[in-house]
Amino acid sequence: MASKAAFAFGMVAALMGLQANAQNPDDTAEASPKLTTYKCTTAGGCVSQSTSVVIDWNYHWFHTKDWLSCTTSSGVNSTLCPDQATCAKNCMVQGDANYTANGVATTGDSMTMNQFTYGANGIQSASPRVYLLGADGNYVLTKLLGQELTFTVDLSTLPCGENGALYLSEMDASGGRNPYNTGGAKYGSGYCDAQCPVQNWMNGTLNTAHAGYCCNEMDILEANSRANAFTPHPCTSTDCDKGGCGFNPYSQGHKNYYGPGGTVDTTKPFTVITQFITNDGTTRGTLSKITRKYIQNGKMVASAVEGGDALTADGCIAADPAAANFGGLPTMGKALGRGMVLTFAIWNDATGFMNWLDGGSNGPCSATEGDPALIQKNNPDTHVVFSNIRWGDIGSTFNSGGAAPQPGTTTTSKQPTLTTTTKASTTTAAGPMQTQFGQCGGSGYTGPKTCVSPYTCKVSNEWYSQCL
Ligand SMILES: *[C@@H]1O[C@H](CO)[C@@H](O)[C@H](O)[C@H]1NC(C)=O
Ligand SMILES: *[C@@H]1O[C@H](CO)[C@@H](O)[C@H](O)[C@H]1NC(C)=O
Ligand SMILES: *[C@@H]1O[C@H](CO)[C@@H](O)[C@H](O)[C@H]1NC(C)=O
């Protein structure tokens, strides 16, 4: 009821010419799905927070007051948007993104993200990416230095080639809100990451220079049911440690640790705990170690590596010398101390088939198994569920049965303590991509506008463009 009324008001306001200019919002408000999260302290336990998720800016429609698209399949329309001010005069961002059509559904403290959705025009690769938004309309700055982050994940339906990702990017809390973009974070603007993506807009502003937007990124979980990794990607102001020194149990020889029927059994949900340990145990020290623990079926799971699964500052530099050029864990720690934005995504990769995560020495998947076309055919329902997301003081976010978490003994292997591994390739989602025959444009359409190779977006009519 409420949303229909708001939509009706939007239409009336639009007809009356009450629209704001710019890639400022139009009159349709964004209704970000609520997703409860928890903040925990040792003294006070966990307290729920009213937070929501907002889908990335690029999943919205940019249009003129006459409902012409301001973007094309290859970028912004340079006639309508030759510069920031003109673009602001001609174009606005449409609110009211359809989260269902984009594969996102939340209930309480749980969120399901689907790779594919089904509409009147058949299967679409929705591949959503969303950010955690606070009640104040800004992104929540999650401060994790000397703290821990815990959540439960179900990725049982994610095959080779899919990536269900929960990570942190050091975006501007307001999404780069400015006079030409008064919506900012409420509309999902300002995305950056350690792959320095080149986007139509950069920190909320038209990106006329086609510059890449780099920022510190901490990948907490990049995973499917066959492989997983956590990876810090520190940056300087102009470049980042794009490969990063990641921790992937399979790469380290623990081939049966993670997977269906493994020590961490991916056929069922499990809880992921990531701790950011400082040299002095405070939230102001230098980041010296990142540790990983799991809980499944109510029990702490044995670590893969004896003594615990961890990345250390020294181990990181030894395994990935490039990390030193970007300040390694200490730089990552400073960003975690300032606060970073929690990002959730599900995606696949039409070029490298996600082999850096789950193929070759990194996982059991064959080189071509992760082809998105195969995934679409064999796993049309592939999705990830993130729930019970909480962070705070070390030890405050999970219950290990009264005792400090102890790694078990049965599956702990005798391995040296060096626990780092270098990633061969990139880690982060490209923008959303549409598959063959899927919709990629048209009036009112807010889904992915770029087609997977080798297809291109062809306009059928004002209402419908298709990847052919
Ligand atoms: C750009 O917008 C102008 C004005 O609306 C339109 O005439 C032109 O066809 C558009 N170009 C593209 C490539 O969409
Ligand atoms: C949103 O998308 C879903 C699924 O594609 C569709 O059933 C629904 O009607 C859409 N809602 C609106 C308001 O357009
Ligand atoms: C992003 O935009 C915000 C708001 O205008 C500004 O305060 C911040 O400095 C910008 N960040 C970068 C890296 O340009």
Side-chain angles (χ1 to χ4, degrees):
M1 280 298 274
S3 72
K4 272 195 185 137
F7 182 67
F9 171 77
M11 291 304 283
V12 170
L15 293 169
M16 290 168 65
L18 295 179
Q19 294 166 343
N21 280 331
Q23 70 276 338
N24 280 325
D26 64 12
D27 294 305
T28 48
E30 182 86 353
S32 310
K34 301 233 167 299
L35 178 69
T36 301
T37 55
Y38 306 90
K39 186 77 184 31
C40 310
T41 57
T42 308
C46 296
V47 176
S48 69
Q49 314 180 101
S50 3
T51 43
S52 61
V53 289
V54 59
I55 197 157
D56 181 75
W57 178 251
N58 290 308
Y59 294 64
H60 293 79
W61 188 38
F62 298 86
H63 63 85
T64 66
K65 65 176 173 24
D66 300 321
W67 308 100
L68 297 171
S69 180
C70 291
T71 54
T72 68
S73 56
S74 56
V76 291
N77 181 318
S78 55
T79 312
L80 295 167
C81 288
D83 56 67
Q84 171 71 8
T86 311
C87 191
K89 194 153 75 62
N90 289 331
C91 299
M92 61 199 89
V93 60
Q94 167 118 324
D96 210 11
N98 186 334
Y99 284 80
T100 309
N102 282 302
V104 179
T106 65
T107 168
D109 63 12
S110 174
M111 170 167 61
T112 301
M113 302 178 83
N114 282 279
Q115 174 66 49
F116 305 108
T117 58
Y118 300 84
N121 302 306
I123 192 165
Q124 287 163 30
S125 184
S127 203
R129 182 172 71 218
V130 300
Y131 313 117
L132 190 68
L133 192 69
D136 63 356
N138 288 326
Y139 297 130
V140 176
L141 288 186
T142 309
K143 297 184 178 173
L144 289 177
L145 183 62
Q147 303 269 287
E148 67 187 22
L149 172 77
T150 297
F151 59 92
T152 298
V153 67
D154 181 341
L155 38 67
S156 54
T157 65
L158 292 183
C160 291
E162 278 296 318
N163 189 339
L166 185 154
Y167 61 103
L168 295 145
S169 277
E170 195 176 13
M171 295 160 65
D172 181 70
S174 77
R177 190 176 284 124
N178 70 56
Y180 294 140
N181 169 14
T182 55
K186 279 191 206 170
Y187 292 78
S189 72
Y191 182 69
C192 56
D193 67 36
Q195 303 305 322
C196 307
V198 178
Q199 304 163 94
N200 293 342
W201 277 267
M202 177 167 166
N203 194 25
T205 298
L206 185 69
N207 185 12
T208 47
H210 304 289
Y213 191 15
C214 304
C215 67
N216 290 298
E217 173 184 339
M218 176 67 223
D219 296 332
I220 305 273
L221 184 76
E222 292 193 282
N224 54 42
S225 63
R226 311 298 297 279
N228 93 100
F230 65 93
T231 315
H233 294 277
C235 299
T236 61
S237 61
T238 53
D239 199 8
C240 300
D241 187 8
K242 295 189 166 103
C245 62
F247 185 99
N248 170 338
Y250 190 101
S251 317
Q252 303 194 31
H254 307 289
K255 298 191 174 173
N256 299 318
Y257 183 71
Y258 177 97
T263 310
V264 175
D265 180 3
T266 56
T267 62
K268 303 192 189 83
F270 55 93
T271 296
V272 180
I273 301 156
T274 311
Q275 300 175 317
F276 298 93
I277 312 290
T278 56
N279 61 339
D280 62 2
T282 73
T283 56
R284 291 170 305 282
T286 302
L287 181 64
S288 55
K289 190 158 88 159
I290 305 174
T291 68
R292 165 59 50 84
K293 297 177 168 69
Y294 299 100
I295 297 174
Q296 192 166 37
N297 300 322
K299 296 195 188 79
M300 296 302 300
V301 177
S303 55
V305 176
E306 188 172 18
D309 297 349
L311 283 174
T312 62
D314 292 347
C316 233
I317 302 288
D320 171 28
N325 304 330
F326 302 98
L329 286 200
T331 297
M332 195 71 254
K334 284 185 188 140
L336 289 161
R338 286 188 293 266
M340 300 175 75
V341 178
L342 258 180
T343 301
F344 309 85
I346 179 169
W347 60 290
N348 52 37
D349 164 17
T351 319
F353 301 162
M354 217 66 79
N355 282 323
W356 62 265
L357 176 66
D358 60 24
S361 60
N362 303 317
C365 300
S366 80
T368 53
E369 229 173 328
D371 182 339
L374 278 182
I375 298 174
Q376 178 174 320
K377 183 160 159 267
N378 298 329
N379 303 82
D381 179 43
T382 182
H383 62 275
V384 62
V385 185
F386 295 110
S387 63
N388 205 350
I389 299 151
R390 48 207 192 274
W391 67 92
D393 296 341
I394 301 281
S396 71
T397 66
F398 64 99
N399 184 349
S400 57
Q406 295 292 328
T409 49
T410 47
T411 55
T412 300
S413 58
K414 311 287 178 209
Q415 283 290 316
T417 52
L418 175 69
T419 60
T420 53
T421 174
T422 304
K423 267 255 205 73
S425 186
T426 62
T427 57
T428 310
M433 303 279 271
Q434 184 55 283
T435 45
Q436 188 185 15
F437 303 126
Q439 186 175 7
C440 53
S443 181
Y445 174 70
T446 60
K449 299 194 178 68
T450 312
C451 300
V452 300
S453 176
Y455 308 107
T456 54
C457 191
K458 304 256 165 61
V459 178
S460 306
N461 55 53
E462 181 188 346
W463 310 101
Y464 192 63
S465 301
Q466 196 176 17
C467 286
L468 294 171

